[in-house]
Amino acid sequence: MAGMKTKSIGLTLGLFFVAAAVYASPHMGTWKLNEAKSKLGAGAPKNNTVVYAASGDSIKVTVDGTDADGKPAHSEWTGKFDGKDYRVTGDSTANMRSYKQIDDRTLELTNKKDGKVTSTGKISVSADGKTRTVTLSGTNAKGEKIEGVGIYDKQ
């Protein structure tokens, strides 16, 4: 009986540490676009608010902003920072997205539509955890090349 109890405690602790690792990511929380500091190219979508939240043992990323035409846009992605593709909904340029953890504060991002890469980027959180920088390049829904650097403030 003692063996079962030990395994149960070990499993519970293991799940706790997985959850703690998700919650401890500096990317977690609500980020608002700082337009004055950002350099968003013409034809690029504008992500005004980005929220990273725990969803079970995964992470849910919710984005609200405007598309290339200035119309409201809302997308959602749930997955892990493991470099694998997970479905994204509401993004006119992608139906799959992957995030790959590079180091404690940096992620690589890849968006794909129907198996074809549409954009790639790098997301970094500052050492003080107050600023998030997103560098993105690719093509928009119209097939036009886009590049930009978005600077976000932690809320």
Side-chain angles (χ1 to χ4, degrees), residues 14-90:
L15 291 173
F16 172 77
F17 287 121
V18 167
V22 167
Y23 289 112
S25 170
H27 295 274
M28 302 305 280
T30 300
W31 300 91
K32 291 232 185 266
L33 180 67
N34 184 328
E35 261 188 273
K37 292 183 180 176
S38 299
K39 294 178 181 75
L40 303 175
K46 195 183 298 177
N47 297 335
N48 297 321
T49 306
V50 179
V51 179
Y52 287 73
S55 177
D57 66 347
S58 295
I59 297 159
K60 181 176 183 180
V61 180
T62 306
V63 178
D64 285 291
T66 54
D67 65 13
D69 296 323
K71 294 181 184 137
H74 173 89
S75 69
E76 294 182 7
W77 174 93
T78 302
K80 297 181 171 126
F81 296 159
D82 60 7
K84 295 178 182 168
D85 290 340
Y86 295 90
R87 181 156 300 286
V88 61
T89 59

Side-chain angles (χ1 to χ4, degrees), residues 108-119:
E108 267 182 3
L109 162 75
T110 303
N111 284 309
K112 293 179 183 174
K113 182 140 188 175
D114 303 326
K116 181 182 173 208
V117 173
T118 55
S119 61

